[in-house]
Structures are given as structure tokens and as C-alpha cells.
């Protein structure tokens, strides 16, 4: 009975977090856009416009279901559910604090890559099922982009795994701080196992992992269809891309999935490269800052802080850089990022053999 309750509470908690995060993120994105464009953003609905996203949700919930008469009704109805579910399940293996993880599995990283890939199927279902040329073109663009950029993401993850030697996300985070079960070396030369802090993070365990994280971050933007990689949803050409025909609660699910995906890839990057729930504060002599700021509540705080910081950078980039052309998008992936990711993967193997012995 207790297990049944836990299996009900955990999904509800994850869904509640995604919903609350999306409300906050949409408001934050509008304010960041206003700041970048030298305007105020939402101001009228509530104090400083803080109720604007709640008003938007209420509006979407009140809209009627409209299915185009020529659409494939089954695919059209299922697509938003598939898109959201693929991202939603990905949160089940993410560690939030020491041993505070919904599902601690030895293949967590492989699981999350496999599950999130289902997102592409949902987008294709939405584009084809809508029976709309703009939706279909948007879906084809999205699939081409997602399939292409999954390759540098996968290669960057392999480069990190070759250093960590595990697919268990919980173990990966443990070995980036003072609770590590193995020796940690800053750039392979300085033993920082007892020091902890940001010096023990994976991104600083080998110089090339800085490049690996940059590759992962750029490719994750394309995976989320975020600017400057948002050509699948280009309003000037495709109205809204694969979700052109969607409205009401169905559009809300697609929208929810996009913002959930933003946080998921940000958190995955934090877990693999930026210490996860480990504190950035090191032990300095008698000042045991790392030990004092490590634990359940501190872990949740650091995970949220780091992930939200990365989400903020994603938003900043959206309102700063112009959209790529399709040829520029593919050239960046196939001619720059994939060869560079292969090189980093080779360096990881050499580094593991010659340095981390």
C-alpha cells in the first residue's frame, strides 16, 4: 500500500513542479525579453504583471477542443500527450539531492536519452495528423533538426561517461563532491577529493570537458527547438510550425512540454558537468564550506539554482541571437559540432587511460 501511494505521489509531484516552473518561466521569459528589448514586459495583470501567465492558463482551459475536419483525429489527439509524456518520464531518473531520486537505476543516462527521443515521434504525429502543410513542414524540419542534433548530444554524453565510467546519474553526481567514493583530480593534477566545491565538478576534471559541455549546451538548444534553432516554429514562414492547428488544453500540453524540456536538458547538463546537487563552495582549511552546504535541502537548492541559471541563459540567447537558416543549422551540426564531439570523445579515452589511472 505504501509503495502504491509513493508511485502516485511522485508523478503528481513531478507534474506539479513542471506546471509551477512553466508558470514562472513564461513570466520570466517575458520580463527578460522586455529587458533585452528595452521595454517593461507584462505589467497590467497583477502587480508587475505577475498574474499574466495564470490568466493565460485560464484562457487556454476555457477554449473548446477544435479538431480540423480533414485531420487524422486519433493522431491529432494523441500527439500532445506523447510529446509531454516523453519529457515527463525523463524527470523520473534525475537526482535532486543525495539519494533523493525518483528512480535510481544503473542505466539512468541511457534511459533518459531513449525516452526523450520519443518526443520526435509525437511532433511527427502532430504535423502529419493536422493535415496542414505548415504543420507538416514544421514537423519535418523539427524531426530533421532533432535527429541531427541528437548525434552531438550523444557523443558529448559518451565523452563524459568515458570519464565517469558509469551511466548511473546518482553515482555521477556523488563523484563530483566531498561525498565521492573515488579520488577526484582538478584537471588531472590536483587531488580535490577533500576540497570539493566547483573544483571537483566534471567540467573541471579534464580541460576538454569544457568544450564537451559547450557542445552539449548548444545541441540541447536545438533539441528544445529554442532560438536561434527555432525554425520548426518560424512564425514568419510556418505560422506556428507543427502545432499550428492546436488550441486550448492541447496547445497547453505542447507548450508545457517545451518548457519542461528546457529545464530537463538544463538539469541534465548540471548533473553531468556542473556538479549536480554538489555545492560550488570548497573546503578552505578550517572552513568546511563544502561539508556545511551539502545535504538534502542544500542539494535541492543547488540543483534548482544551477538549473534555473542555465534556463536563464537559454532565455537570454533566445532574445539576443537571430534565427539560423536551415542550411546554417545543418552545417553547424554536421560540419562543426559532430567532428568536434568525436575529437572530444577520443580525447576522453586517451585522458582516461593516460591520466586517470
Amino acid at each position: 500500500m505504501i509503495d502504491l501511494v509513493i508511485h502516485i505521489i511522485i508523478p503528481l509531484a513531478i507534474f506539479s513542479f513542471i506546471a509551477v516552473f512553466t508558470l514562472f518561466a513564461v513570466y520570466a521569459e517575458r520580463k527578460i525579453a522586455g529587458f533585452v528589448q528595452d521595454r517593461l514586459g507584462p505589467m497590467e495583470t497583477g502587480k508587475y504583471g505577475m498574474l499574466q501567465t495564470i490568466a493565460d492558463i485560464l484562457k487556454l482551459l476555457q477554449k473548446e477542443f477544435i479538431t480540423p475536419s480533414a485531420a487524422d483525429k486519433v493522431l491529432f489527439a494523441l500527439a500532445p500527450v506523447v510529446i509531454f509524456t516523453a519529457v515527463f518520464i525523463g524527470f523520473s531518473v534525475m537526482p535532486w539531492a543525495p539519494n533523493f531520486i525518483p528512480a535510481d537505476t544503473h542505466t539512468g543516462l541511457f534511459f533518459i536519452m531513449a525516452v526523450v527521443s520519443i518526443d520526435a515521434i509525437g511532433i511527427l504525429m502532430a504535423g502529419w495528423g493536422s493535415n496542414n502543410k505548415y504543420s507538416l513542414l514544421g514537423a519535418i524540419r523539427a524531426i530533421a533538426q532533432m535527429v541531427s542534433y541528437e548525434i552531438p548530444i550523444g557523443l558529448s554524453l559518451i565523452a563524459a561517461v568515458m570519464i565517469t565510467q558509469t551511466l548511473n546519474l546518482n553515482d555521477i553526481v556523488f563523484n563530483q563532491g566531498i561525498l565521492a567514493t573515488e579520488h577526484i583530480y582538478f584537471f588531472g593534477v590536483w587531488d580535490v577529493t577533500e576540497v570539493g566545491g566547483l573544483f571537483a565538478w566534471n567540467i573541471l576534471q579534464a580541460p576538454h570537458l569544457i568544450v564537451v559541455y559547450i557542445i552539449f549546451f548548444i545541441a540541447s538548444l536545438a533539441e528544445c527547438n529554442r532560438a536561434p534553432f527555432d525554425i520548426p516554429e518560424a512564425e514568419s514562414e510556418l505560422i506556428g510550425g507543427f502545432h499550428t492547428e492546436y488550441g486550448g488544453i492541447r496547445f497547453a500540453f505542447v507548450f508545457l512540454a517545451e518548457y519542461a524540456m528546457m529545464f530537463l536538458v538544463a538539469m541534465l547538463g548540471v548533473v553531468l558537468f556542473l556538479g549536480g546537487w554538489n555545492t560550488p563552495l570548497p573546503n578552505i582549511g578550517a572552513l568546511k564550506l563544502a561539508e556545511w552546504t551539502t545535504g538534502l535541502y542544500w542539494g535541492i537548492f543547488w540543483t534548482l539554482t544551477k538549473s534555473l541559471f542555465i534556463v536563464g541563459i537559454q532565455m537570454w540567447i533566445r532574445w539576443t541571437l537571430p534565427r539560423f537558416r536551415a542550411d546554417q543549422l545543418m552545417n553547424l551540426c554536421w560540419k562543426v559540432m559532430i567532428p568536434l564531439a568525436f575529437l572530444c570523445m577520443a580525447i576522453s579515452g586517451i585522458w582516461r587511460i593516460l591520466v586517470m589511472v
Side-chain angles (χ1 to χ4, degrees):
M1 186 63 183
I2 295 176
D3 289 342
L4 177 61
V5 172
I6 291 174
H7 285 112
I8 294 174
I9 290 176
I10 290 176
L12 288 175
I14 293 174
F15 181 82
S16 300
F17 170 78
I18 292 173
V20 172
F21 165 74
T22 302
L23 286 173
F24 162 79
V26 173
Y27 175 77
E29 180 144 37
R30 287 174 169 176
K31 284 296 186 181
I32 291 172
F35 175 77
V36 171
Q37 298 169 351
D38 197 21
R39 56 185 178 83
L40 295 175
M43 288 292 292
E44 299 300 321
T45 311
K47 190 173 181 63
Y48 304 116
M50 295 179 70
L51 297 179
Q52 183 60 56
T53 50
I54 295 175
D56 292 339
I57 289 295
L58 291 175
K59 180 186 73 173
L60 287 173
L61 291 174
Q62 293 178 65
K63 285 181 175 288
E64 62 179 321
F65 281 165
I66 298 176
T67 302
S69 57
D72 185 316
K73 294 177 174 53
V74 176
L75 291 182
F76 187 81
L78 285 179
V81 179
V82 173
I83 294 171
F84 177 76
T85 302
V87 182
F88 175 76
I89 295 175
F91 281 90
S92 64
V93 293
M94 300 302 292
W96 292 84
N99 293 318
F100 188 68
I101 178 172
D104 188 6
T105 171
H106 293 297
T107 56
L109 185 57
F110 178 80
F111 175 84
I112 196 171
M113 287 301 296
V115 168
V116 170
S117 298
I118 300 173
D119 187 32
I121 299 174
I123 290 175
L124 184 60
M125 289 169 61
W128 180 262
S130 296
N131 197 22
N132 176 308
K133 63 180 180 181
Y134 297 112
S135 299
L136 182 58
L137 283 171
I140 292 172
R141 281 184 177 186
I143 298 302
Q145 176 175 310
M146 294 174 74
V147 169
S148 297
Y149 277 87
E150 277 179 3
I151 298 173
I153 285 181
L155 293 174
S156 63
L157 296 182
I158 291 172
V161 167
M162 292 173 75
I163 298 295
T164 62
Q165 294 288 291
T166 179
L167 292 171
N168 188 313
L169 294 175
N170 202 33
D171 291 346
I172 288 174
V173 183
F174 262 102
N175 288 320
Q176 295 182 70
I178 57 168
L179 301 180
T181 56
E182 302 175 358
H183 284 283
I184 307 170
Y185 292 90
F186 176 75
F187 285 153
V189 294
W190 174 30
D191 190 340
V192 292
T193 311
E194 301 298 326
V195 176
L198 59 87
F199 300 109
W201 294 356
N202 274 342
I203 197 171
L204 297 178
Q205 289 190 28
H208 72 284
L209 288 181
I210 299 173
V211 178
V212 171
Y213 179 67
I214 293 172
I215 292 171
F216 172 84
F217 178 77
I218 295 173
S220 68
L221 286 178
E223 191 73 10
C224 297
N225 293 332
R226 295 284 300 180
F229 304 98
D230 61 337
I231 61 169
E233 302 170 12
E235 296 89 349
S236 57
E237 308 160 44
L238 302 175
I239 307 176
F242 64 89
H243 53 67
T244 297
E245 297 291 352
Y246 286 94
I249 194 67
R250 287 171 176 164
F251 175 77
F253 265 99
V254 174
F255 201 63
L256 206 62
E258 178 179 327
Y259 277 87
M261 187 70 163
M262 284 173 60
F263 189 89
L264 183 62
V265 296
M267 187 176 176
L268 182 60
V270 166
V271 165
L272 285 172
F273 298 98
L274 304 180
W277 41 257
N278 283 294
T279 175
L281 305 175
N283 289 329
I284 306 173
L287 292 174
K288 303 296 183 180
L289 300 178
E291 295 180 14
W292 297 339
T293 55
T294 297
L296 175 61
Y297 299 110
W298 275 110
I300 295 172
F301 171 76
W302 292 124
T303 300
L304 284 173
T305 302
K306 294 175 189 177
S307 301
L308 291 176
F309 177 75
I310 300 300
V311 169
I313 294 176
Q314 293 174 347
M315 294 177 180
W316 175 28
I317 289 173
R318 173 176 180 176
W319 300 104
T320 304
L321 298 178
R323 181 181 294 133
F324 284 150
R325 297 196 313 264
D327 61 317
Q328 293 172 329
L329 184 87
M330 291 303 173
N331 283 339
L332 176 64
C333 177
W334 291 97
K335 295 182 179 180
V336 178
M337 295 183 67
I338 290 179
L340 195 56
F342 268 117
L343 177 62
C344 288
M345 189 173 68
I347 294 172
S348 283
I350 296 170
W351 187 271
R352 183 73 199 185
I353 294 171
L354 298 182
V355 179
M356 301 179 68
V357 291

